[in-house]
Amino acid sequence: MKITRISLFAQDQPFRDGTYTCSGGRSAEGFESSIAKIETDAGITGWGEMAPLGSFYDPAFVGGARAGLAELAPALIGQDPAQVDAINQRMDLLLNGHPYAKAALDMACWDIKAKQAGIPLAEALGGRFGDRMALYRSVPQAAPEAMALRAKKYIAEGYRRLQVKVGLEVKDDIARMEAVLDAVPTGTVIFADANAAWRQQQALEFLRATRDLDYVLEQPCASYEANLAVRAHCDRPLVLDETIDGLSSFMRAWSDRLIDGITIKVTRVGGITKAKLIRDAAAGLGIGVTIEDTGGAEINTAVTAHLMLSTPESVRQHTCDFYNWVTSRHTRPGFADKAFDARGGSMTAPRGKGLGIEVEETALGVPFFAVGGS
Ligand SMILES: [Mg+2]
């Protein structure tokens, strides 16, 4: 099987619940998604999707993603998409770094590989563990009362796991946590996520003041060393997200006993191939695993859902239904609700072959780049 044509599309995906704000006044109104379609001489088509959270969140931005995709696509024409490791090695030789720019192409190759085998992607990734996976919703930074209201809305929608965005002034962060915890039912799983925004001293101050609250601490500080220092004073589970940018950062954090869990963002690490490598290592070592991404809609949600469903339940944390965060669609009306069946704070992975996503290409408009024969 050979790749005959690659088309790249852009899609604006406005947030359903308005502006998304995290520490330092950083905010976005939606995702700017880049979508890759790979066609083959076997008549099998694959899809992948990358969407950064603005330009402020990760070392990734929409212009970089689109330039990188267009740089790489011509070099994949004629290659066998089912040989995903060889495809990844080729992309890494051609373009040093920029893993986020490679991710959508890697995803489309996996979609084709699983379709060729006639199985859902989760099965191609190692197997299906159960049927459904837990979802979380982020409660973005706002006044404590507004965050409590937002938390209640998500509880009413069925979510039972919330990520409270902290990482500003510690006394305000404490008020935010208390307001949200007061507003939600007992048993709600709370992650306090600072998105790497605290200084070491602030993280320690927060830990001291919230000793009696029940939560998991996520990515308190930016630097590895600061997180390691915080770990020494943290007797609750600690999850790293922004730090985990590849296998070596995961292995380092594991060998330093820094982490109880990790968040793998698929495009941050370069796609499914590399996310699977980290996931398999973490699962084998008994470290908790969240697999999600920086953004996107149905295609990207399907990628994270299949990766999550093929992660053993003993280490599975939660993921998010990004397609529900945005108002745009690239599948026909009603398709996504049926395919993911998101309800009661959980969802499933689409049951069709590959990603199980039937893309409505008309929703994507004209490609911003295409290469190969028709
Ligand atoms: Mg996080």
Side-chain angles (χ1 to χ4, degrees), residues 57 136 138 163 165 193-195 218-219 239-242 263 265 268 292:
Y57 174 64
Y136 79 89
S138 275
Q163 196 186 62
K165 292 298 186 187
D193 187 359
N195 288 112
E218 180 161 332
Q219 191 76 41
V239 168
L240 286 185
D241 177 345
E242 284 82 350
T263 292
K265 290 215 161 63
R268 176 189 295 145
E292 52 155 332

Side-chain angles (χ1 to χ4, degrees), residues 19-23 25-29 53-54 56:
T19 308
Y20 183 90
T21 311
C22 67
S23 53
R26 302 173 290 177
S27 68
E29 303 298 323
L53 178 56
F56 56 80

Side-chain angles (χ1 to χ4, degrees), residues 221-229 240 243 249 252-256 258:
C221 305
S223 84
Y224 186 88
E225 291 71 20
N227 287 310
L228 192 57
L240 286 185
T243 296
S249 54
R252 183 182 179 203
W254 173 77
S255 66
D256 284 342
L258 206 168

Side-chain angles (χ1 to χ4, degrees), residues 7-348:
S7 311
L8 305 172
F9 301 88
Q11 186 178 37
D12 281 341
Q13 300 170 341
F15 290 135
R16 188 192 69 182
D17 294 338
T19 308
Y20 183 90
T21 311
C22 67
S23 53
R26 302 173 290 177
S27 68
E29 303 298 323
F31 298 129
E32 288 180 279
S33 173
S34 302
I35 291 170
K37 175 190 182 190
I38 296 185
E39 294 169 80
T40 63
D41 60 0
I44 303 174
T45 298
W47 294 88
E49 179 179 24
M50 189 282 155
L53 178 56
S55 301
F56 56 80
Y57 174 64
D58 253 354
F61 68 109
V62 63
R66 289 178 189 168
L69 282 163
E71 178 87 10
L72 290 162
L76 298 188
I77 301 296
Q79 302 297 307
D80 180 354
Q83 297 187 39
V84 289
D85 289 347
I87 290 278
N88 271 269
Q89 192 187 61
R90 187 171 180 84
M91 290 198 289
D92 287 342
L93 284 171
L94 282 164
L95 180 64
N96 189 352
H98 303 276
Y100 65 99
K102 299 164 182 169
L105 294 167
D106 171 77
M107 292 170 185
C109 288
W110 273 98
D111 188 19
I112 292 166
K113 182 180 172 72
K115 281 172 176 166
Q116 186 190 35
I119 53 177
L121 179 62
E123 292 174 27
L125 293 171
R128 190 183 279 277
F129 293 91
D131 260 340
R132 300 181 67 79
M133 66 207 79
L135 292 169
Y136 79 89
R137 274 305 298 236
S138 275
V139 183
Q141 285 178 350
E145 315 77 59
M147 287 178 75
L149 275 177
R150 182 77 81 105
K152 274 186 174 170
K153 170 179 147 72
Y154 293 144
I155 293 291
E157 289 174 12
Y159 295 95
R160 290 295 174 267
R161 303 173 74 97
L162 299 175
Q163 196 186 62
V164 181
K165 292 298 186 187
V166 291
L168 293 168
E169 283 305 315
V170 172
K171 67 172 178 16
D172 299 333
D173 283 332
I174 296 162
R176 289 189 184 89
M177 281 290 284
E178 288 173 346
V180 170
L181 278 159
D182 273 351
V184 301
T186 315
T188 306
V189 177
I190 301 284
F191 278 51
D193 187 359
N195 288 112
W198 280 325
R199 285 173 288 113
Q200 181 181 319
Q201 180 195 334
Q202 291 176 299
L204 297 180
E205 204 182 321
F206 182 85
L207 277 170
R208 274 197 302 275
T210 55
R211 197 167 281 145
D212 297 330
L213 304 182
D214 190 15
Y215 68 93
V216 174
L217 184 63
E218 180 161 332
Q219 191 76 41
C221 305
S223 84
Y224 186 88
E225 291 71 20
N227 287 310
L228 192 57
V230 169
R231 167 84 275 181
H233 301 276
C234 177
D235 62 357
R236 61 183 69 245
L238 197 151
V239 168
L240 286 185
D241 177 345
E242 284 82 350
T243 296
I244 306 301
D245 59 0
L247 183 64
S248 62
S249 54
F250 164 71
M251 293 307 297
R252 183 182 179 203
W254 173 77
S255 66
D256 284 342
R257 296 168 176 78
L258 206 168
I259 40 171
D260 299 292
I262 55 168
T263 292
I264 303 169
K265 290 215 161 63
V266 181
T267 61
R268 176 189 295 145
V269 301
I272 293 171
T273 304
K274 287 166 181 160
K276 180 182 185 303
L277 185 64
I278 303 166
R279 186 277 308 269
D280 289 345
L285 296 167
I287 297 293
V289 176
T290 290
I291 300 172
E292 52 155 332
D293 217 330
T294 53
E298 299 99 302
I299 296 170
N300 190 278
T301 303
V303 167
T304 56
H306 285 285
L307 274 161
M308 260 330 238
L309 202 64
S310 57
T311 301
E313 288 157 304
S314 56
V315 295
R316 196 191 289 165
Q317 294 174 152
H318 50 213
T319 189
C320 60
D321 50 345
F322 268 142
Y323 78 95
N324 262 331
W325 293 34
V326 299
T327 54
S328 53
R329 287 281 177 270
H330 45 241
T331 54
R332 65 179 178 273
F335 177 90
D337 290 337
K338 203 165 169 214
F340 293 106
D341 190 26
R343 62 187 154 84
S346 71
M347 70 172 184
T348 189

